[in-house]
Amino acid sequence: MVTKEYRTVKEIIGPLMLIEGVEGITYGELTDIRLDDGTMRRGRVLEVHKDKAVVQVFEGTSGLAPQGVTVKFLGKGVELGVSGDILGRVFDGFGRPIDDGPPIIPEKWLNINGNPMNPYSRDYPNEFIQTGISTIDLLNPLVRGQKLPFFSGSGLPHSRMAAQVARQARVLKTGEKFAVIFATMGITFEEAEFFINDFRRTGALERAVLFINLADDPAIERIAVPRMALTVAEFLAYEKDMHVLVILTDLTNYCEALREISAARKEVPGRRGYPGYLYTDLSTIYERAGRIKGKMGSITQLPVLTMPEDDKTHPIPDLTGYITEGQIILSRSLHAQGIYPPVDVLPSLSRLKDKGIGVGKTREDHANVMNQLYAAYARGKNAKELAVVLGESALSEIDLLYVKFADAFEDRFIRQGEDENRSIEDSLRIGWELLGLLPKSELKRVRPEFIEKYYPENK
Amino acid sequence: MSTNNKGEVVKVSGPLVVARGLAGARMYEMVRVGEAKLFGEIIEIRGDEYSIQVYEETEGIGPGQPVFRTGEALSVELGPGLIRSIYDGVQRPLDKIAAQYGEYIVRGAESPSLDRSMIWKFEPVAKIGDHVTAGDILGTVRETKLVVHKILVPNGVEGTVKKISSVEGNVDTVIAVIETDKGPRELTMVQRWPVRQPRPVAKKLPPLEPLTTGQRVLDMFFPMTKGGTACVPGPFGSGKTVVQHQLAKWANANIVVYVGCGERGNEMTDVLMEFPELKDPESGEPLMERTVLIANTSNMPVAAREASVFTGITIAEYFRDMGYSVALMADSTSRWAEAMREMSGRLEEMPGEEGYPAYLGTRIASFYERSGNVICMGSDKRNGTLSLIGAVSPPGGDFSEPVVQATLRVVKVFWGLDDKLAFARHFPAINWLTSYSLYQEVVDKYANDHYNPKWSEVRRRAMAILQREAELEELVRLVGMDALPADDRLLMQAAKMIREDFLHQNAFDELDTYTSMVKQFHLLSTILHYYDEVRPALQKGVPLSKLLTLPVLEEISKAKLIPENKLEQFDELRNKVSEQVKALLA
Ligand SMILES: Nc1ncnc2c1ncn2[C@@H]1O[C@H](COP(=O)(O)OP(=O)(O)OP(=O)(O)O)[C@@H](O)[C@H]1O
Ligand SMILES: [Mg+2]
């Protein structure tokens, strides 16, 4: 296709440019924007009306003057060159290498928007991934092909947790190829350094691909980052048979970039100024997790987002929860008590848990123990609240036991070391030790034969 | 008036394309956009500017590219082969598309909605010389083990049967010739219908029979009817999809149309994998044999999502017209409303509440109005029903938002899901204090006549206990359980049993997932029987603690797992309750 160059920028509004007098331009087209000082930026056509095109500038429009730019339309969408050699490499948010490695020689170029997976071709995720974290493995199990976000808050240790998962995650089978893709949107230099060093320290970098957009990098570039990451993920999963874990952090910054564009286009805002299509837009990211019938690989997503004011009903966590298959919620109060990882067990949920656990996958008693621990902790926490109102003396003997259970549960089950990699057996063992604090008759959610087999007798 | 078959793109903004030069094109006409021939539909006309919503990704479309008219409104193909299909929002068969184009849905993918390679056996019902009008049954095709597909005289056709015979062939095979005013008309097994236009019926009647679901909280306390409307609103993770899946599995409808509208891909996969394995409780045949799936997941084009609900309901109406009871589930109508909002925004329409178009309420109402208990078209005056159940996903779980509110204005049943119950892992998390069914009376009458004369009484008493529990709970929070009078504590016990042993129902447990109406009655009346026995005993001086720990309680808590073919065990259980209480009195 012929490429077309114009010097007819008429308006610059926020991250957008309006170019007039264009011809043969199509929606979604990639553009090169050359400033007169020779520097280059990238853009994408958001709307084209007769001879006018609205272009979103990934690097932002700061410093641009309408008279001083040449816009070249490239006649194709935003693409990323991928290859098997991409493992171990670090890129900026637009897919340009920022490590000292050689340029990537692409095996193929892929449009970063991908295509929607045919629901008929999906395979149901059901393979248990052991993360080594008890609150995930035993209570909110993650399976291959799932999208399970961390709902966190500012200042909470979600990065450390995500790094721990990336380090420890494995399937209870060996010999399979796997990769980690790590994409950041607007996080701080320090946080990013933490991840990179962690990957380097543990040798994980060799099987990782990093896309780094930092807090002081262009905001609009964040629109492209997760799509870059997922394009590589799809390539590795479905063409190189790898099991890919994609960590995206922080989706809150992504949504803010989207809001910025929407505002510049003067669109009718939905809640809190976010565009009405935020749900659909997020789904084009999250729904790229999954498995395909007849393919070896898989894409598991671990998006991280910080809830503004720890508010779960804020549009970002809310719409995410409507798309993902559960959520791991981090608790500020557990964090304040010095408990790591501060997983708020009760409102956390893995919706695909039922298919990934049990005989042949984890252990026969897994589901029962999960339900019992959950119920007992809920009751213990209730009893504690009651004690606050009415005083400990108002609690029955059995409720006092539950209070003791809840405390022990937080201290021994939820709490674990950052380098402590618990097998599912370990987690179950600790679970049973805690259930041992309660009389057998209280364990209504566990089948008698499992109580017989696993209940700790000599305590 | 001059007409044009081809126009030209002038504007592209996401799924919205504006074209010129389509003179003669009408509202809701289908067009093909660009060199890629993407599917689209005209949704607004201003002078010579035609706004088109495009059902596929529009990247690469730009001004100057051609737009082709089709002359037809967005329509579906109706005929044998619908059952067991999985379609996207504009009735493209996803299984065929996958076979032809691979795992991803690429643009311009096309495949006939009804499989032309399937051979059907048509058995005539009408005879040569019969006078037939729209809706009359020409003959039948056995489509699946569960469904006999009736081939109807299409709308607008009337005349005398000139030729009809038993034939085998694909849906395009001529099965009859009708001599009409305008000459002979050949009919095949397939007809088309524009999705935005309701299929006509002879007469609408009020719903009279329950649509049973096997879900205890629904059937007993908030019943649905055949031909009725219901909504399931709730925040994320509260159980909307599980409720909808349970209904698709266990509702006593002849045909189920399940519309996955803007939700997860894996949930459709789940249905696709599970339904062929599950057996219909009445016939023992796989549930897939009565099911049509429409899957336009969240990441699929948003305009096709808007259309998916209409595609689904038109297919559902078609089966209703054969005289079947049909149930349609749409998960989620909020995503459908959001699709309308997005298109409306791109059309730069004046927004109503929260950016939704001002016509949101009208659209939702006209969707639910397509439900009903009806006398179908056709001279035999057969009865068909179409029940609609829509999930609603309000932002932040806030029921005061426009979609929930517009829905509540038209639907008769409200199953309100509650995240507090879901957190407490009380499933189905239907709030029994706020939910309601306006079909209560109709169903009470039916249930008293058909299941047990005491049905309505048992239901009323149980609900009263639950409501009293809620009042007492306030008190308990202030003073503690021990401070309650003994008779109130018995009530609290009965309420707890109703909640845990009756309302709580595990969708994933093989036995618990479905409960027949008769068993539901047994289960609830057993709990009430306990309450009726212990109250007088308390008066006569039996200590409260003994009554609260009656050994039989353990068995009652497991009674939900009594198999459907061993319901006499409930009589034994009730006897046991009486005996154990009597023993305490002695
Ligand atoms: N009847 C039930 N029995 C057992 N578990 C249930 C039941 N209903 C819901 N659940 C549990 O709740 C989880 C969430 O339910 P579901 O997916 O139906 O929620 P939803 O309201 O559709 O959420 P979303 O709006 O995000 O789609 C399920 O994965 C399951 O673990
Ligand atoms: Mg759902």
Side-chain angles (χ1 to χ4, degrees):
Chain A
M1 204 175 189
V2 257
T3 52
K4 305 166 190 89
E5 289 199 15
Y6 298 94
R7 286 189 61 88
T8 44
V9 174
K10 281 288 160 325
E11 289 176 17
I12 301 178
I13 304 163
L16 308 180
M17 287 189 328
L18 178 78
I19 302 135
E20 283 191 357
V22 300
E23 214 190 307
I25 302 309
T26 64
Y27 174 74
E29 220 174 293
L30 180 66
T31 65
D32 271 345
I33 299 159
R34 199 174 63 244
L35 278 63
D36 285 352
D37 66 5
T39 56
M40 297 289 291
R41 296 188 194 184
R42 292 278 182 136
R44 176 172 188 256
V45 176
L46 284 190
E47 181 174 313
V48 43
H49 188 184
K50 294 177 194 158
D51 67 342
K52 297 189 187 70
V54 177
V55 169
Q56 144 199 318
V57 185
F58 287 105
E59 291 85 350
T61 51
S62 130
L64 292 191
Q67 307 76 19
V69 284
T70 309
V71 183
K72 183 164 148 194
F73 292 84
L74 301 177
K76 56 174 190 190
V78 184
E79 292 179 342
L80 181 70
V82 291
S83 109
D85 299 334
I86 209 164
L87 283 173
R89 299 298 303 271
V90 186
F91 301 91
D92 73 358
F94 214 76
R96 292 166 288 223
I98 49 171
D99 52 13
D100 306 325
I104 299 292
I105 300 158
E107 277 172 46
K108 44 163 79 171
W109 287 90
L110 297 172
N111 189 308
I112 66 163
N113 289 322
N115 276 314
M117 203 188 281
N118 187 329
Y120 185 82
S121 305
R122 282 183 184 268
D123 205 355
Y124 206 79
N126 60 8
E127 266 180 292
F128 177 75
I129 299 179
Q130 180 176 293
T131 67
I133 296 177
S134 295
T135 40
I136 298 178
D137 293 350
L138 186 47
L139 298 179
N140 299 288
L142 174 70
V143 295
R144 270 183 180 167
Q146 185 172 12
K147 38 196 180 293
L148 188 65
F150 284 174
F151 286 8
S152 186
S154 41
L156 296 182
H158 46 262
S159 293
R160 285 159 59 199
M161 277 182 72
Q164 187 171 4
V165 171
R167 215 164 42 228
Q168 298 180 349
R170 65 185 194 88
V171 169
L172 301 178
K173 253 193 252 168
T174 48
E176 289 178 312
K177 296 191 282 182
F178 64 110
V180 176
I181 297 189
F182 176 70
T184 75
M185 289 150 274
I187 67 170
T188 60
F189 170 79
E190 276 168 55
E191 268 175 295
E193 271 302 291
F194 163 78
F195 274 105
I196 297 173
N197 287 336
D198 197 68
F199 284 158
R200 199 166 277 139
R201 174 175 70 89
T202 56
L205 197 58
E206 283 160 42
R207 51 180 181 85
V209 184
L210 278 57
F211 289 90
I212 306 290
N213 169 286
L214 297 180
D216 58 354
D217 285 331
I220 303 308
E221 190 176 271
R222 289 168 202 159
I223 305 283
V225 174
R227 298 188 164 83
M228 297 274 169
L230 287 160
T231 301
V232 174
E234 282 167 355
F235 174 75
L236 294 178
Y238 306 130
E239 295 188 36
K240 302 283 173 196
D241 296 338
M242 292 186 180
H243 293 286
V244 186
L245 176 69
V246 182
I247 299 174
L248 305 169
T249 178
D250 174 334
L251 260 302
T252 303
N253 297 326
Y254 169 86
C255 295
E256 254 143 42
L258 207 63
R259 175 164 70 175
E260 198 178 323
I261 291 170
S262 175
R265 300 186 68 186
K266 302 195 173 56
E267 290 170 337
V268 179
R271 285 197 313 149
R272 306 233 186 157
Y274 292 94
Y277 48 79
L278 182 58
Y279 170 86
T280 302
D281 188 278
L282 284 173
S283 76
T284 61
I285 296 175
Y286 298 142
E287 280 286 314
R288 287 172 84 171
R291 299 181 46 189
I292 293 181
K293 276 186 234 164
K295 298 264 183 181
M296 291 282 292
S298 64
I299 298 178
T300 308
Q301 268 189 43
L302 213 91
V304 176
L305 59 87
T306 45
M307 299 182 278
E309 299 185 329
D310 294 349
D311 175 10
K312 195 163 69 83
T313 69
H314 184 282
I316 299 171
D318 188 52
L319 295 178
T320 296
Y322 271 123
I323 306 165
T324 53
E325 285 139 347
Q327 66 281 336
I328 304 290
I329 301 192
L330 273 56
S331 152
R332 199 168 289 281
S333 89
L334 285 177
H335 180 62
Q337 288 169 48
I339 293 176
Y340 173 92
V343 174
D344 200 352
V345 168
L346 298 183
S348 294
L349 172 72
S350 163
R351 303 204 196 178
L352 303 184
K353 59 180 188 300
D354 303 292
K355 320 259 173 174
I357 62 175
V359 185
K361 292 185 167 167
T362 53
R363 208 171 79 182
E364 51 182 358
D365 56 330
H366 188 156
N368 282 194
V369 174
M370 167 174 80
N371 289 331
Q372 189 66 61
L373 285 173
Y374 187 91
Y377 181 53
R379 174 142 179 210
K381 278 193 82 165
N382 262 340
K384 277 170 90 168
E385 272 171 35
L386 211 64
V388 172
V389 183
L390 302 172
E392 285 241 330
S393 57
L395 295 187
S396 62
E397 213 162 297
I398 191 77
D399 275 339
L400 284 170
L401 265 185
Y402 274 103
V403 169
K404 204 171 135 206
F405 170 89
D407 289 335
F409 179 81
E410 288 175 2
D411 189 48
R412 288 164 53 197
F413 187 86
I414 300 184
R415 185 202 297 279
Q416 71 183 82
E418 214 170 322
D419 274 311
E420 184 180 354
N421 189 354
R422 291 185 191 158
S423 69
I424 182 67
E425 292 282 341
D426 289 340
S427 295
L428 282 163
R429 185 179 41 73
I430 300 171
W432 274 107
E433 278 169 27
L434 293 167
L435 293 179
L437 297 173
L438 301 170
K440 282 185 193 172
S441 61
E442 284 297 306
L443 307 185
K444 295 211 171 100
R445 312 216 175 187
V446 187
R447 286 211 234 146
E449 63 259 38
F450 297 150
I451 298 186
E452 194 64 31
K453 193 161 164 189
Y454 297 107
Y455 188 79
E457 286 304 340
N458 37 1
K459 35 168 184 153
Chain B
M1 187 176 81
S2 75
T3 62
N4 262 339
N5 288 328
K6 196 176 138 196
E8 188 184 287
V9 172
V10 292
K11 176 179 173 178
V12 187
S13 167
L16 178 78
V17 166
V18 179
R20 274 210 180 139
L22 289 172
R26 303 177 198 200
M27 271 299 266
Y28 301 125
E29 184 172 323
M30 287 284 283
V31 293
R32 309 296 296 266
V33 176
E35 275 104 26
K37 297 217 163 160
L38 309 182
F39 282 95
E41 185 186 16
I42 296 174
I43 54 170
E44 189 178 85
I45 307 175
R46 283 175 200 230
D48 189 32
E49 296 215 324
Y50 295 78
S51 296
I52 299 161
Q53 65 172 352
V54 180
Y55 299 130
E56 301 178 78
E57 169 59 46
T58 52
E59 192 165 297
I61 303 293
Q65 293 189 13
V67 176
F68 306 92
R69 285 184 55 193
T70 68
E72 193 195 39
L74 174 62
S75 302
V76 286
E77 270 196 336
L78 302 168
L82 287 169
I83 304 287
R84 282 188 300 222
S85 288
I86 174 164
Y87 293 118
D88 78 351
V90 288
Q91 214 201 3
R92 286 186 294 185
L94 289 169
D95 49 346
K96 306 289 178 331
I97 298 276
Q100 257 170 276
Y101 300 91
E103 300 86 20
Y104 290 93
I105 301 174
V106 294
R107 297 192 308 171
E110 237 184 304
S111 184
S113 301
L114 295 177
D115 187 348
R116 264 44 183 191
S117 70
M118 299 272 280
I119 300 301
W120 306 103
K121 192 164 170 13
F122 171 81
E123 298 289 356
V125 170
K127 292 181 293 298
I128 294 175
D130 283 357
H131 181 84
V132 292
T133 72
D136 281 350
I137 298 171
L138 287 170
T140 60
V141 168
R142 173 151 292 278
E143 186 170 356
T144 69
K145 286 203 183 104
L146 284 175
V147 179
V148 174
H149 197 109
K150 297 171 188 165
I151 308 292
L152 308 176
V153 177
N155 212 39
V157 176
E158 181 169 358
T160 312
V161 179
K162 218 172 102 182
K163 254 175 115 180
I164 190 163
S165 63
S166 168
V167 286
E168 265 185 56
N170 73 8
V171 287
D172 292 325
T173 310
V174 173
I175 47 120
V177 180
I178 312 288
E179 191 62 52
T180 70
D181 294 352
K182 296 171 211 116
R185 169 96 183 252
E186 291 189 336
L187 297 178
T188 66
M189 292 183 233
V190 58
Q191 44 177 294
R192 296 179 69 78
W193 190 266
V195 298
R196 295 185 193 276
Q197 191 179 327
R199 286 174 61 87
V201 298
K203 194 172 175 205
K204 263 195 153 184
L205 309 168
L208 291 172
E209 270 186 44
L211 180 80
T212 63
T213 67
Q215 310 306 299
R216 297 186 289 264
V217 59
L218 306 184
D219 291 344
M220 182 59 73
F221 293 111
F222 311 108
M224 174 63 172
T225 51
K226 289 185 175 168
T229 52
C231 71
V232 199
F236 68 78
S238 57
K240 296 179 291 296
T241 303
V242 174
V243 167
Q244 296 271 48
H245 281 192
Q246 288 297 90
L247 260 66
K249 287 173 190 165
W250 309 123
N252 64 341
N254 300 124
I255 307 285
V256 166
V257 179
Y258 191 94
V259 186
C261 174
E263 293 282 314
R264 301 174 184 83
N266 278 334
E267 291 175 346
M268 298 314 295
T269 312
D270 195 19
V271 174
L272 278 171
M273 299 225 195
E274 207 180 13
F275 276 39
E277 307 291 321
L278 291 170
K279 302 278 189 284
D280 173 47
E282 266 161 46
S283 64
E285 294 299 332
L287 285 169
M288 205 59 203
E289 307 274 296
R290 62 162 197 190
T291 308
V292 186
L293 299 175
I294 315 282
N296 213 96
T297 56
S298 54
N299 54 337
M300 286 159 75
V302 69
R305 188 200 298 171
E306 193 271 337
S308 66
V309 165
F310 294 104
T311 296
I313 199 160
T314 307
I315 292 172
E317 284 176 338
Y318 174 66
F319 282 104
R320 172 207 62 193
D321 291 346
M322 294 177 203
Y324 287 125
S325 63
V326 185
L328 177 141
M329 294 92 205
D331 185 12
S332 153
T333 59
S334 292
R335 308 302 166 216
W336 174 56
E338 283 166 13
M340 284 192 253
R341 172 168 72 182
E342 179 164 355
M343 294 318 299
S344 163
R346 302 215 184 242
L347 287 171
E348 293 170 15
E349 291 174 340
M350 200 51 181
E353 231 180 315
E354 291 190 18
Y356 285 103
Y359 47 80
L360 175 75
T362 335
R363 287 278 169 93
I364 288 178
S366 58
F367 163 69
Y368 283 105
E369 272 307 296
R370 289 175 79 166
S371 68
N373 175 20
V374 306
I375 303 291
C376 306
M377 300 288 283
S379 9
D380 64 352
K381 301 208 165 9
R382 60 191 176 271
N383 176 231
T385 63
L386 171 50
S387 317
L388 297 181
I389 302 109
V392 194
S393 319
D398 170 13
F399 287 0
S400 69
E401 60 90 49
V403 184
V404 176
Q405 287 305 313
T407 304
L408 286 179
R409 280 199 288 278
V410 288
V411 302
K412 301 285 190 290
V413 179
F414 167 66
W415 295 323
L417 291 171
D418 192 326
D419 54 355
K420 282 193 210 69
L421 290 172
F423 284 163
R425 300 292 196 263
H426 173 101
F427 289 117
I430 292 178
N431 185 322
W432 53 88
L433 296 174
T434 55
S435 299
Y436 61 80
S437 165
L438 301 183
Y439 301 124
Q440 191 76 263
E441 236 170 274
V442 182
V443 174
D444 270 353
K445 186 169 170 335
Y446 185 96
N448 286 345
D449 292 348
H450 288 79
Y451 308 126
N452 194 298
K454 290 210 161 141
W455 180 280
S456 57
E457 184 194 322
V458 162
R459 174 187 68 67
R460 233 187 329 265
R461 287 190 53 210
M463 183 46 76
I465 290 173
L466 289 171
Q467 276 165 349
R468 179 74 185 133
E469 181 198 34
E471 291 164 23
L472 289 175
E473 255 169 4
E474 303 267 305
L475 211 62
V476 171
R477 258 191 292 277
L478 292 174
V479 297
M481 187 65 119
D482 292 335
L484 282 192
D487 57 339
D488 280 346
R489 292 204 49 190
L490 280 184
L491 182 133
M492 293 296 275
Q493 168 83 356
K496 180 166 174 242
M497 287 165 71
I498 297 172
R499 281 190 286 111
E500 292 180 2
D501 306 337
F502 184 82
L503 294 180
H504 184 110
Q505 185 169 6
N506 185 350
F508 304 113
D509 183 282
E510 211 182 320
L511 280 173
D512 203 20
T513 186
Y514 169 85
T515 309
S516 70
M517 296 297 264
V518 176
K519 183 175 154 187
Q520 292 184 27
F521 177 81
H522 276 302
L523 189 54
L524 192 56
S525 50
T526 302
I527 295 170
L528 291 185
H529 179 71
Y530 161 82
Y531 188 47
D532 290 341
E533 290 281 349
V534 291
R535 262 184 322 165
L538 181 73
Q539 302 293 319
K540 290 183 191 142
V542 179
L544 176 69
S545 61
K546 286 255 174 352
L547 297 173
L548 292 180
T549 55
L550 217 56
V552 74
L553 290 181
E554 174 85 26
E555 269 174 82
I556 297 181
S557 74
K558 295 196 173 116
K560 57 172 100 160
L561 300 182
I562 291 177
E564 292 285 347
N565 56 7
K566 298 219 171 94
L567 296 184
E568 65 284 353
Q569 290 184 10
F570 280 102
D571 296 323
E572 293 159 27
L573 195 55
R574 280 189 291 262
N575 286 337
K576 222 177 205 171
V577 173
S578 304
E579 278 161 25
Q580 291 188 3
V581 174
K582 207 187 264 162
L584 290 174
L585 282 166

